[in-house]
Amino acid sequence: MLFQELGKLKRSSIMTAIILGAVGIVMIMCPAQYVNALVSTLGYGMLVLATVWVLNFLASKKTLMSYIYLTGALIIALLGIAVLVFDNIVLFIGIVFGLVLLGDGITTLISTWTYTRRAQRKGWWLLIVLSVLMILCGLVLLINPWWNEPTMLFDVIGVMLLFSSVVSIVRLIFLWPIKSE
């Protein structure tokens, strides 16, 4: 049971690192004239993700975790609609990516405490520090006190997503392979 969960966590870490790294690079490299197209792509991508999660819920066994994913899907759908509809996109983009970083940081913190510490890996506390930094980056994006224009915010979000990608890779290195007891 534990090794199945760790296998899922390994695949999840690899995909998270690839996706967050790619989105971070695209956001950093995006010229100012293409920001509106990137924002529209973000909104439609969120709606597609929410639709996939709702369809997964409809096909699932309706466990508690399925309802949690459904709630997340509905929140992502509402944020996607807000990104597409409202004019003040800076606020909504900061909220969306702040929640992504906050959720990924909390997931990393929980998996570190649950798996890495139990695996008796040396330096597991480093992953705790990195996940707390990622949570702080998410909170900074949610508060968004300094960036008022989309191009500057996209650069900051891109750097933070690249940091999140590095944390996902470090998490993978710490979690796999597991020491035998």
Side-chain angles (χ1 to χ4, degrees):
M1 175 90 163
L2 180 64
F3 289 113
Q4 291 173 349
E5 290 300 316
L6 288 176
K8 289 179 189 176
L9 193 58
K10 179 182 174 184
R11 287 188 303 274
S12 173
S13 293
I14 291 170
M15 289 309 297
T16 300
I18 291 170
I19 291 171
L20 290 180
V23 171
I25 290 171
V26 167
M27 291 183 96
I28 290 171
M29 293 176 48
C30 182
Q33 64 263 25
Y34 297 118
V35 168
N36 289 333
L38 190 61
V39 168
S40 296
T41 304
L42 170 70
Y44 288 123
M46 290 171 63
L47 288 176
V48 167
L49 178 68
T51 304
V52 168
W53 282 2
V54 167
L55 292 175
N56 281 340
F57 170 77
L58 294 174
S60 70
K61 296 180 183 177
K62 309 294 186 288
T63 61
L64 177 62
M65 199 64 193
S66 298
Y67 285 103
I68 291 172
Y69 284 138
L70 177 67
T71 304
L74 295 177
I75 290 171
I76 287 176
L78 288 175
L79 288 174
I81 291 170
V83 166
L84 290 172
V85 171
F86 293 119
D87 291 332
N88 190 6
I89 58 170
V90 175
L91 173 68
F92 291 109
I93 291 172
I95 288 172
V96 167
F97 284 103
L99 289 175
V100 166
L101 287 174
L102 194 65
D104 195 23
I106 290 171
T107 303
T108 302
L109 186 66
I110 291 170
S111 66
T112 299
W113 192 259
T114 304
Y115 300 118
T116 310
R117 186 177 58 91
R118 287 185 185 172
Q120 299 173 353
R121 303 290 278 189
K122 292 182 180 178
W124 62 272
W125 54 270
L126 176 67
L127 200 52
I128 295 275
V129 171
L130 289 175
S131 62
V132 168
L133 284 175
M134 196 162 39
I135 291 170
L136 290 176
C137 286
L139 289 175
V140 165
L141 279 178
L142 284 175
I143 295 170
N144 193 13
W146 300 288
W147 309 288
N148 292 327
E149 60 185 47
T151 54
M152 187 181 297
L153 181 65
F154 272 29
D155 291 339
V156 171
I157 289 172
V159 169
M160 288 183 181
L161 287 178
L162 284 175
F163 174 70
S164 177
S165 176
V166 169
V167 171
S168 293
I169 292 169
V170 170
R171 176 177 61 203
L172 179 66
I173 291 170
F174 273 102
L175 283 177
W176 207 266
I178 305 268
K179 282 184 174 180
S180 60
E181 294 183 15

